[in-house]
Amino acid sequence: MAITRTTAQQRGLTFLQVAIALQTLCIFFQAVTAGVLLSSSHGEVLHGVGARVMYGASMLYVLAAVLAWKPGGGSPRPVLHASGFLVLASVQVVLGIAHVPSLHVPLGVTMFALSVLALGQALAARLPGRAGDRP
């Protein structure tokens, strides 16, 4: 029984890692397109499309966290992190639509930093030799 649970946790964590990595890449893409927005007319279209993809990636992160927690038997903490991040993404979209760069840009930087931290934590959880990995 414990072997099955461990395998389910690893599978869920892998999906969680992929979801967080995708989210982090989307946020980085948003930073790049924000720079393009300042210098090209194509930047607005790219940034708008990227915002939708980033928001979808944030929802995927919530789904992955729930799947790693409930059926996988993992901790509920990633669900709280993912849900909080989805709230931040929602605020970010509203600020972008309202053209409030004084809040939109710093929140974007904060979101990127938080996403990188979440990705680092998810990857560190998979490293061998951690106390929770011992039989």
Side-chain angles (χ1 to χ4, degrees):
M1 182 74 164
I3 295 171
T4 305
R5 185 172 187 176
T6 302
T7 303
Q9 286 175 338
Q10 290 173 347
R11 195 175 314 123
L13 188 58
T14 300
F15 180 45
L16 185 62
Q17 289 173 338
V18 170
I20 297 171
L22 177 64
Q23 174 184 270
T24 305
L25 286 172
C26 287
I27 296 170
F28 182 72
F29 178 78
Q30 285 302 95
V32 170
T33 60
V36 174
L37 180 65
L38 298 173
S39 61
S40 169
S41 61
H42 302 296
E44 187 173 353
V45 172
L46 288 172
H47 198 68
V49 169
R52 288 165 178 81
V53 174
M54 185 277 301
Y55 197 76
S58 296
M59 287 189 274
L60 183 68
Y61 178 22
V62 172
L63 175 64
V66 168
L67 290 176
W69 166 54
K70 253 328 194 186
S75 169
R77 180 172 280 154
V79 176
L80 296 174
H81 292 170
S83 298
F85 204 93
L86 187 58
V87 169
L88 290 178
S90 299
V91 171
Q92 183 70 335
V93 168
V94 169
L95 290 172
I97 291 170
H99 300 287
V100 186
S102 61
L103 297 175
H104 183 75
V105 173
L107 181 56
V109 171
T110 302
M111 288 171 62
F112 181 70
L114 290 173
S115 194
V116 168
L117 285 172
L119 180 60
Q121 287 177 340
L123 293 174
R126 297 279 302 198
L127 293 176
R130 292 184 42 103
D133 292 343
R134 293 186 197 138

